């Protein structure tokens, strides 16, 4: 079973995922030290695993007078390449010492420097290109699961990934059902083609992250009220997790188009 990539905002590192834009924004605040390095690395790894096309890293509030964080950004870039993710990391408003170290770190094509988040977003259409995706906003009704399943299967066929239609239907149905049960809000469902993966995402209005059972219940034991559906998602998906969004959270899953990605 895949270990989920779950991100909770902290005072020093926060994250906003916008599935419709295939972009994620991360804000890093405070003085750079070992604890902030570990937390930043964990969040970046989860963001890259989600397979956005762009991760905007806002460093305007980072205190790093010696540029010590540069190695963390390079490691995140290498992780994106080694994981087979076509992700561009844009460092926005990096401190001067960080910019100097990045400019001499050896032209990593997945790392880009920008003067500000606004400047990076102005170029974002160039970075993301045209993302092929299907989207639906669905009410908090049982029929939402059926509609989401149909859309997921049809999207896989349109993307030339018919062999992923069945797992995509299963995953989207379980994610929508989980959102309806625990959030009770309308949901937005996206199915998109992002480089080597089909990306599935369900956004709801509840910021609380999903929980998955650590192990299957023993024979004869009472079935738990929740968690079983997410075990099915974990078994079917190449990777999955959850990120904060401007309205609640986004629970996502990816399916590798060819082999393991």
């Amino acid at each position: 079973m895949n270990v989920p990539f779950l991100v909770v905002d902290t005072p020093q590192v926060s994250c906003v995922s916008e599935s419709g834009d295939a972009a994620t924004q991360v804000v890093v605040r405070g003085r750079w030290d070992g604890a902030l390095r570990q937390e930043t690395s964990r969040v970046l790894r989860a963001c890259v695993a989600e397979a956005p096309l762009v991760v905007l890293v806002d460093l305007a509030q980072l205190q790093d007078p010696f540029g010590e964080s540069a190695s963390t950004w390079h490691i995140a870039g290498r992780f994106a390449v080694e994981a087979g993710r076509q992700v561009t990391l844009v460092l926005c408003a990096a401190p001067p010492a960080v910019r100097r170290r990045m400019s001499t770190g050896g032209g990593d094509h997945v790392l880009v420097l920008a003067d500000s988040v606004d400047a990076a977003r102005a170029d974002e259409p160039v970075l993301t290109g045209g993302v092929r995706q299907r989207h639906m906003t669905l009410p908090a009704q049982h029929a939402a699961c059926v509609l989401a399943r149909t859309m997921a299967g049809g999207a896989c066929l349109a993307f030339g990934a018919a062999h992923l239609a069945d797992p995509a239907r299963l995953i989207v149905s379980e994610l929508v059902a989980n959102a309806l049960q625990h959030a009770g809000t309308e949901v937005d469902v996206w199915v998109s083609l992002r480089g080597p993966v089909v990306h599935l995402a369900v956004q709801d209005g509840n910021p609380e992250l999903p929980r998955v059972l650590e192990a299957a219940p023993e024979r004869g034991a009472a079935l738990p009220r929740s968690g079983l559906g997410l075990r099915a998602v974990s078994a079917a998906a190449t990777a999955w997790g959850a990120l904060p969004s401007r309205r609640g959270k986004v629970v996502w899953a990816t399916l590798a188009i060819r082999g393991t990605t």
Side-chain angles (χ1 to χ4, degrees):
M1 186 174 71
N2 291 321
V3 176
F5 292 91
L6 304 177
V7 174
V8 178
D9 285 346
T10 69
Q12 289 190 295
V13 183
S14 59
C15 173
V16 174
S17 173
E18 297 298 334
S19 291
D21 297 334
T24 299
Q25 181 172 328
V26 177
V27 180
V28 182
R29 311 175 183 86
R31 179 168 292 277
W32 188 260
D33 57 17
L36 183 54
R37 176 182 58 79
Q38 290 183 350
E39 179 62 15
T40 300
S41 297
R42 186 186 69 81
V43 171
L44 286 178
R45 186 180 181 89
C47 290
V48 169
E50 192 258 341
L53 297 189
V54 177
V55 177
L56 301 171
V57 187
D58 185 353
L59 303 180
Q61 301 175 65
L62 175 66
Q63 301 168 36
D64 185 8
F66 303 109
E68 296 174 308
S69 64
S71 61
T72 296
W73 317 127
H74 282 300
I75 290 171
R78 287 199 297 272
F79 172 72
V81 173
E82 293 169 1
R85 297 294 189 261
Q86 297 177 358
V87 182
T88 300
L89 283 79
V90 185
L91 305 183
C92 307
V98 175
R99 294 182 71 96
R100 287 194 296 271
R101 288 203 176 190
M102 296 303 296
S103 63
T104 59
D108 194 334
H109 68 281
V110 302
L111 293 170
V112 176
L113 292 171
D115 291 336
S116 67
V117 172
D118 288 343
R121 286 199 176 278
D123 289 336
E124 193 174 303
V126 176
L127 294 172
T128 59
V131 178
R132 296 181 63 189
Q133 67 178 7
R134 301 283 182 90
H135 168 251
M136 295 181 72
T137 299
L138 300 172
Q141 300 174 359
H142 179 71
C145 294
V146 177
L147 293 172
R149 284 176 60 89
T150 300
M151 184 186 75
C156 287
L157 293 175
F159 297 158
H163 60 294
L164 298 180
D166 285 343
R169 292 187 190 102
L170 167 66
I171 290 169
V172 165
S173 179
E174 294 294 347
L175 293 184
V176 170
N178 199 62
L180 296 181
Q181 179 181 357
H182 296 286
T185 68
E186 71 174 18
V187 296
D188 283 284
V189 183
W190 287 272
V191 182
S192 56
L193 182 63
R194 299 187 182 180
V197 301
V198 171
H199 181 274
L200 313 162
V202 175
Q203 181 184 38
D204 63 54
N206 186 344
E208 184 177 353
L209 296 186
R211 299 178 183 179
V212 62
L213 291 177
E214 295 293 334
E218 295 181 3
R219 179 176 297 181
L223 291 175
R225 293 183 178 180
S226 62
L228 291 177
L230 292 178
R231 284 182 60 83
V233 170
S234 183
T238 303
W240 77 281
L243 296 169
S245 70
R246 289 188 172 86
R247 183 184 65 84
K249 66 177 177 296
V250 172
V251 185
W252 59 269
T254 59
L255 290 167
I257 294 176
R258 294 183 180 86
T260 301
T261 298

